[in-house]
Structures are given as structure tokens and as C-alpha cells.
Amino acid sequence: MTKIKAALLGYGTVGQGIHEVLHEHQERFRTLLGKEVEIVAILVQNPSKYRDLPENIVVTKDFEKIITIPELDVVFEAIVGEEPALSYLTHALEKSIHVITANKMMFAKHANSLLEKARENHVKIGFEATTAGGTPVIRTIEQLLQVNQVEKIEAILNGTSNYILTAMSERSIDFETALAEAKEKGYAEADPANDIDGTDAFNKLMILSQLIFNEQPVWNKVEKTGIQDITSTAIQTAQENNEKYKHIAVIGKEGDQLKAEVSPLLLSSSHPLYNIDGVDNAIAITSNIVGTITLIGPGAGKLPTASAMVEDLVDIFQNGTNRHSTYPYKDQAAV
Ligand code: HSE
């Protein structure tokens, strides 16, 4: 049986999750694709840390050693930050290697050039894992709301901040303890600053904006506030009043103008996002024909993120034509 040859870029929580899921679900890949998926190489910062990995896997910190592997089919990218991820993925696409990324910070800014590069080289980019973890919002919008025009998104897009707010409210623990738990569970970024200050939710909202509206608002005109200033006292008072703080990302059109905001809001119990707790994310998608659909699911974590990425893999290898080829990305000019 032929195999799909895959490389992992990054072997933190997400990279390890992909490895685990690929290893445990080969039977499913055989059924769905008629092929097994083999990890042939892993890019890490410190190869000596990973001596336990099977010898047939190239474990290296040298991207050149990976990109020159003959007949490499796909790279899974789970690196943090813009560079070197962008350069690696650009290089992979230029070599006609499919790309599956979880890198929201990089993709929010560079989706257009990467998708263009993918089109030129007749390969695909899967980016379901960039937004809302394991909750399949990207392909729901892209594949299942094609006749509908999405008018508005109201969402909880960061698992870590929702976990912290929930833990502070339900268990009366302090911010630092809740954040430590979110790190321990693999929800928070290695540097959780972006989780806490709203940047991560903002990046995900920009990816949704581009997907839905074919444009993004001018970044520095979007109000962006994190959860760092919400005190335990404020959360307890809210709870006594049957209210909850939730970190909400909103985008929609007012006339011709895109309006977006990312901020903590005090929700009453009648609000549809009031009950979204813990690491869950939720995306209320309002469209002109169907009305409002709300997707709820795990927004972070090893297996949910890996789930999104392996589903991208199956989508890419099942569908011969590049669905993204008509994808109307434009450059993110004004940042
Ligand atoms: N740190 C991110 C979050 C991971 O908590 O939502 C998923 O993008």
C-alpha cells in the first residue's frame, strides 16, 4: 500500500498530538484514503531531547533536511510565531508540498500570499486548526454556507481565557492559579501573553473576517481588550448577579464598513454564549438565509487541535481539486 509521507514542524503539545492521532488511526486513513500516513521527519529545536522517537523518523533542527526529503507529500506546521514558520511554509508550497497549519498569528497576516503560492503550485493549505481548535468553523463556513452570506460572527475564540474566567467564577481561584492550570492542560501558548491580552482571539477573528468578507478591518482600528484587568471581586459580584464575564469577539458589516471588536463583556444568563464554559469556544454565525448557527466545542488542547489538522489532511487528499483555488484572499495591507 502506498503511503502519504508527512513531516511535522514543531513537536510541542500540538505536534505530539498529531503524531499520536496519526499513529492510532491508521486503519481509518486506510479506509478513507486507501493509504497510510507515515511521519518521515520532525523538526525540533533540540534533537537530543527526542531520542525515544523511532529511528526511521528524521529528527532534526535543520529544515533543509526535511524539505529535501524525496516525495514528501505534506507538512503539518505547529510552530509559534510568524517566522520561521512563514518561510518554511512558503518553501514547502514552492516545492508543491501540501501544508496544514495551526499557526493563527502567522496565518492572520499571511493567508493571502500563502494561498496564492498554493494555487500557483497546485497544492492546498488546511487551516482549520488556526481558529477555535477542534471546532470545525472554517470548513462549516467555507463548505456549508456557500449560498448564504454570513453577516455577523459573535464568538468566544480563546480557550485559555475562557478557562481562566470559568475557573475564577466557578471555583473562586485566582487568575495566576487558573492560568497555571491552563498551561498545565496544554491550552495556553508557551508565552500566554497573546491569550490573555486578546491578541490570539483577534488573530482568529481576522482569519474569519478574511474567509467571510474577503477583507479585514484595519487592524489598529479594532478595539482589542483582554481579560487581564478583570478582578476576582468583579467576577464574584457578577456571579452573585447571575452574570458572567466572557471574552467576546464580534465582526459584522455596518453598511460597507467592517466593524470588529474583541473585549470582555458581562453577559446575562439569557445570552447564547453565557453557558460556554471552560476551554470551549463558541461561534454564533448569522447568515442571511439560515439565520444563526452556533458551533460549540473545544477551543484548545492537544487532541482537539490535532483533530482539526488530521481532518484537513483527509479533506486535502480526498478532494483532487483545490477548493481554495477560488478563495478570494486579498493582502492584509493596513496593519
Ligand atoms: N492558546 C490557544 C487558546 C490555543 O487558548 O485558544 C488554541 O488556538
Side-chain angles (χ1 to χ4, degrees), residues 301-316:
K302 183 177 172 182
L303 293 181
T305 310
S307 163
M309 296 179 89
V310 300
E311 293 295 346
D312 272 347
L313 175 94
V314 170
D315 185 54
I316 286 172

Side-chain angles (χ1 to χ4, degrees), residues 14 102 104 129-133 157-162 182 186-190 192 194-195 200-201 204 279 281 299-301 305:
V14 175
K104 52 268 164 117
T130 59
T131 305
L157 292 174
N158 183 266
T160 299
S161 53
N162 204 38
Y187 303 153
E189 306 297 309
N194 286 355
D195 290 313
D200 183 75
K204 293 164 177 170
V279 71
N281 282 188
T305 310

Side-chain angles (χ1 to χ4, degrees), residues 275-290:
N275 283 317
I276 312 304
D277 287 329
V279 71
D280 274 358
N281 282 188
I283 307 96
I285 309 164
T286 302
S287 311
N288 61 343
I289 305 174
V290 67

